[in-house]
Amino acid sequence: QVHLVESGGGSVQAGGSLRLSCTASGVLFNIAALGWYRQAPGNEREQVATIDRHGNTNYADSVKGRFTLARDNLKNTILLQMNNLKPVDTAVYYCATGRVADLSQPNYWGQGTQVTVSS
């Protein structure tokens, strides 16, 4: 079992920045990747960014150049730095992890944290 605890999020004006943090605990030896998904009202949940155990990152096209994902292996924590935020980034952001490197089918989810970007 893996437990994910998220922090960060909040409200910001367009062009601003926020940082999300997610710390994993529990049985982690077979976890291949950590990352973030988001879901806006009326939309399906979409993958935002992932990082595998080797530090390789992958980003959705919509956030490339604006979001940066990093991990602290000693703390089992990932940090999503979100810059130049846009109203379309408004969503509930979920930390996720799983045994598949591309995190296409996460096995565990965090509780979610709200990000609101106003114009």
Side-chain angles (χ1 to χ4, degrees), residues 15-110:
S17 300
L18 287 172
R19 187 172 73 171
L20 304 181
S21 174
C22 174
T23 298
S25 62
V27 180
L28 304 177
F29 74 92
N30 60 349
I31 292 302
L34 286 159
W36 292 92
Y37 278 70
R38 68 185 180 186
Q39 187 168 20
N43 291 355
E44 293 187 356
R45 195 171 295 191
E46 63 175 354
Q47 190 180 89
V48 176
T50 65
I51 187 165
D52 65 18
R53 58 175 61 247
H54 304 294
N56 299 309
T57 55
N58 188 62
Y59 298 94
D61 288 342
S62 59
V63 306
K64 283 181 180 176
R66 300 187 298 122
F67 292 11
T68 302
L69 183 60
R71 68 186 297 165
D72 182 337
N73 288 329
L74 292 178
K75 298 180 179 179
N76 292 321
T77 296
I78 58 172
L79 299 172
L80 182 67
Q81 179 66 41
M82 305 184 293
N83 297 328
N84 190 22
L85 282 161
K86 305 175 180 180
V88 295
D89 294 317
T90 296
V92 178
Y93 284 68
Y94 297 90
C95 183
T97 190
R99 294 182 281 274
V100 178
D102 65 3
L103 210 55
S104 57
Q105 295 180 315
N107 300 101
Y108 303 97
W109 296 91

